[in-house]
Amino acid sequence: MYVCSCFGITEQQVREHAESGACTPRQIASASKAGTDCGSCVRRIQALLGRGAGCPRRSVLDQLGPDGAAAALAAEQPAAPAPLSTAEAA
Protein backbone atom coordinates (compact mmCIF):
# COMPACT_ATOMS: atom_id res chain seq x y z
CA MET A 1 0.00 0.00 0.00
CA TYR A 2 1.23 3.51 -0.83
CA VAL A 3 2.10 5.81 2.04
CA CYS A 4 3.27 8.74 -0.06
CA SER A 5 1.44 9.13 -3.34
CA CYS A 6 3.53 12.19 -4.27
CA PHE A 7 6.67 10.07 -4.60
CA GLY A 8 5.20 6.55 -4.81
CA ILE A 9 6.64 5.35 -1.49
CA THR A 10 5.11 2.20 -0.04
CA GLU A 11 4.74 0.96 3.54
CA GLN A 12 7.34 -1.70 2.76
CA GLN A 13 9.85 0.94 1.63
CA VAL A 14 9.28 2.93 4.83
CA ARG A 15 9.86 -0.23 6.89
CA GLU A 16 13.04 -1.00 4.92
CA HIS A 17 14.39 2.50 5.55
CA ALA A 18 13.52 2.12 9.25
CA GLU A 19 15.39 -1.20 9.38
CA SER A 20 18.36 0.60 7.83
CA GLY A 21 18.35 3.13 10.65
CA ALA A 22 15.93 5.88 9.58
CA CYS A 23 13.94 6.21 12.80
CA THR A 24 12.10 9.49 12.38
CA PRO A 25 9.84 10.95 9.70
CA ARG A 26 12.61 13.43 8.90
CA GLN A 27 15.12 10.61 8.36
CA ILE A 28 12.57 8.75 6.19
CA ALA A 29 12.16 11.97 4.18
CA SER A 30 15.92 12.23 3.71
CA ALA A 31 16.09 8.64 2.53
CA SER A 32 13.02 8.62 0.26
CA LYS A 33 11.52 12.14 -0.09
CA ALA A 34 8.29 10.83 1.50
CA GLY A 35 6.62 13.64 3.43
CA THR A 36 8.48 16.45 1.70
CA ASP A 37 5.84 17.54 -0.82
CA CYS A 38 2.25 17.88 0.41
CA GLY A 39 2.98 16.39 3.87
CA SER A 40 -0.24 14.41 4.12
CA CYS A 41 1.68 11.16 4.67
CA VAL A 42 3.74 12.29 7.67
CA ARG A 43 1.22 11.00 10.23
CA ARG A 44 1.07 7.63 8.45
CA ILE A 45 4.88 7.44 8.49
CA GLN A 46 4.84 8.26 12.21
CA ALA A 47 2.32 5.47 12.77
CA LEU A 48 4.45 2.99 10.82
CA LEU A 49 7.56 3.93 12.78
CA GLY A 50 5.73 3.61 16.10
CA ARG A 51 7.55 4.51 19.25
CA GLY A 52 10.93 3.14 18.29
CA ALA A 53 9.61 -0.25 17.24
CA GLY A 54 12.12 -1.83 14.91
CA CYS A 55 14.58 1.05 15.12
CA PRO A 56 18.04 -0.32 15.91
CA ARG A 57 19.41 3.09 16.87
CA ARG A 58 16.52 3.86 19.20
CA SER A 59 16.85 0.39 20.80
CA VAL A 60 20.47 1.14 21.68
CA LEU A 61 19.55 4.55 23.09
CA ASP A 62 16.78 2.96 25.19
CA GLN A 63 19.30 0.49 26.63
CA LEU A 64 21.62 3.35 27.58
CA GLY A 65 18.92 5.05 29.64
CA PRO A 66 18.19 8.79 29.66
CA ASP A 67 21.64 9.96 30.81
CA GLY A 68 23.56 7.61 28.52
CA ALA A 69 21.32 8.42 25.56
CA ALA A 70 21.77 12.16 26.08
CA ALA A 71 25.54 11.72 26.22
CA ALA A 72 25.56 9.53 23.10
CA LEU A 73 23.44 12.00 21.14
CA ALA A 74 25.56 14.94 22.28
CA ALA A 75 28.69 13.10 21.13
CA GLU A 76 27.15 12.75 17.64
CA GLN A 77 26.66 16.51 17.27
CA PRO A 78 29.50 18.31 15.48
CA ALA A 79 31.42 20.69 17.66
CA ALA A 80 30.58 24.34 17.20
CA PRO A 81 33.37 26.36 15.64
CA ALA A 82 35.33 28.53 18.02
CA PRO A 83 34.36 32.21 17.93
CA LEU A 84 36.72 34.48 16.03
CA SER A 85 39.00 36.64 18.09
CA THR A 86 38.89 40.40 17.58
CA ALA A 87 42.08 40.26 15.50
CA GLU A 88 40.72 37.48 13.25
CA ALA A 89 37.37 39.21 12.74
CA ALA A 90 38.99 42.41 11.46
Side-chain angles (χ1 to χ4, degrees):
M1 173 181 245
Y2 285 102
V3 172
C4 176
S5 57
C6 296
F7 294 104
I9 306 301
T10 64
E11 289 182 3
Q12 183 60 36
Q13 288 172 303
V14 170
R15 287 188 185 101
E16 288 170 3
H17 288 302
E19 288 170 8
S20 297
C23 302
T24 66
R26 184 171 289 178
Q27 291 170 337
I28 295 293
S30 293
S32 68
K33 290 188 168 185
T36 62
D37 194 24
C38 76
S40 66
C41 60
V42 174
R43 288 190 187 265
R44 180 69 183 134
I45 292 169
Q46 289 172 327
L48 286 170
L49 294 174
R51 182 153 161 60
C55 179
R57 182 170 180 231
R58 199 166 281 164
S59 303
V60 169
L61 293 176
D62 287 344
Q63 290 173 0
L64 292 173
D67 293 334
L73 291 173
E76 286 183 3
Q77 300 300 319
L84 296 174
S85 69
T86 309
E88 291 174 324

PDB file of all heavy atoms in Angstrom, residues 82-90:
ATOM      1  N   ALA A  82      34.925  27.551  17.006  1.00  0.00           N
ATOM      2  CA  ALA A  82      35.331  28.531  18.020  1.00  0.00           C
ATOM      3  C   ALA A  82      35.052  29.932  17.506  1.00  0.00           C
ATOM      4  O   ALA A  82      35.201  30.199  16.316  1.00  0.00           O
ATOM      5  CB  ALA A  82      36.814  28.367  18.333  1.00  0.00           C
ATOM      6  N   PRO A  83      34.616  30.830  18.384  1.00  0.00           N
ATOM      7  CA  PRO A  83      34.358  32.209  17.927  1.00  0.00           C
ATOM      8  C   PRO A  83      35.666  32.865  17.484  1.00  0.00           C
ATOM      9  O   PRO A  83      36.746  32.564  17.999  1.00  0.00           O
ATOM     10  CB  PRO A  83      33.783  32.892  19.155  1.00  0.00           C
ATOM     11  CG  PRO A  83      34.049  31.996  20.310  1.00  0.00           C
ATOM     12  CD  PRO A  83      34.342  30.636  19.772  1.00  0.00           C
ATOM     13  N   LEU A  84      35.551  33.754  16.515  1.00  0.00           N
ATOM     14  CA  LEU A  84      36.724  34.484  16.033  1.00  0.00           C
ATOM     15  C   LEU A  84      37.183  35.483  17.079  1.00  0.00           C
ATOM     16  O   LEU A  84      36.374  36.136  17.729  1.00  0.00           O
ATOM     17  CB  LEU A  84      36.389  35.230  14.740  1.00  0.00           C
ATOM     18  CG  LEU A  84      36.023  34.367  13.537  1.00  0.00           C
ATOM     19  CD1 LEU A  84      35.582  35.265  12.387  1.00  0.00           C
ATOM     20  CD2 LEU A  84      37.187  33.506  13.111  1.00  0.00           C
ATOM     21  N   SER A  85      38.488  35.601  17.197  1.00  0.00           N
ATOM     22  CA  SER A  85      38.999  36.636  18.090  1.00  0.00           C
ATOM     23  C   SER A  85      38.846  37.987  17.401  1.00  0.00           C
ATOM     24  O   SER A  85      38.588  38.068  16.200  1.00  0.00           O
ATOM     25  CB  SER A  85      40.466  36.367  18.424  1.00  0.00           C
ATOM     26  OG  SER A  85      41.245  36.567  17.253  1.00  0.00           O
ATOM     27  N   THR A  86      39.023  39.046  18.135  1.00  0.00           N
ATOM     28  CA  THR A  86      38.886  40.402  17.577  1.00  0.00           C
ATOM     29  C   THR A  86      39.845  40.604  16.418  1.00  0.00           C
ATOM     30  O   THR A  86      39.516  41.178  15.403  1.00  0.00           O
ATOM     31  CB  THR A  86      39.115  41.450  18.671  1.00  0.00           C
ATOM     32  OG1 THR A  86      38.300  41.142  19.795  1.00  0.00           O
ATOM     33  CG2 THR A  86      38.803  42.839  18.177  1.00  0.00           C
ATOM     34  N   ALA A  87      41.072  40.089  16.544  1.00  0.00           N
ATOM     35  CA  ALA A  87      42.075  40.257  15.501  1.00  0.00           C
ATOM     36  C   ALA A  87      41.689  39.487  14.249  1.00  0.00           C
ATOM     37  O   ALA A  87      41.877  39.970  13.133  1.00  0.00           O
ATOM     38  CB  ALA A  87      43.437  39.794  16.012  1.00  0.00           C
ATOM     39  N   GLU A  88      41.101  38.287  14.400  1.00  0.00           N
ATOM     40  CA  GLU A  88      40.719  37.481  13.246  1.00  0.00           C
ATOM     41  C   GLU A  88      39.497  38.064  12.550  1.00  0.00           C
ATOM     42  O   GLU A  88      39.352  37.959  11.346  1.00  0.00           O
ATOM     43  CB  GLU A  88      40.396  36.052  13.682  1.00  0.00           C
ATOM     44  CG  GLU A  88      41.612  35.277  14.156  1.00  0.00           C
ATOM     45  CD  GLU A  88      41.209  33.919  14.717  1.00  0.00           C
ATOM     46  OE1 GLU A  88      40.146  33.820  15.349  1.00  0.00           O
ATOM     47  OE2 GLU A  88      41.971  32.976  14.512  1.00  0.00           O
ATOM     48  N   ALA A  89      38.604  38.663  13.301  1.00  0.00           N
ATOM     49  CA  ALA A  89      37.375  39.212  12.739  1.00  0.00           C
ATOM     50  C   ALA A  89      37.633  40.458  11.905  1.00  0.00           C
ATOM     51  O   ALA A  89      36.865  40.784  11.024  1.00  0.00           O
ATOM     52  CB  ALA A  89      36.385  39.527  13.859  1.00  0.00           C
ATOM     53  N   ALA A  90      38.708  41.150  12.167  1.00  0.00           N
ATOM     54  CA  ALA A  90      38.993  42.413  11.463  1.00  0.00           C
ATOM     55  C   ALA A  90      39.604  42.201  10.116  1.00  0.00           C
ATOM     56  O   ALA A  90      39.960  41.337   9.564  1.00  0.00           O
ATOM     57  CB  ALA A  90      39.918  43.267  12.290  1.00  0.00           C
TER      58      ALA A  90
END
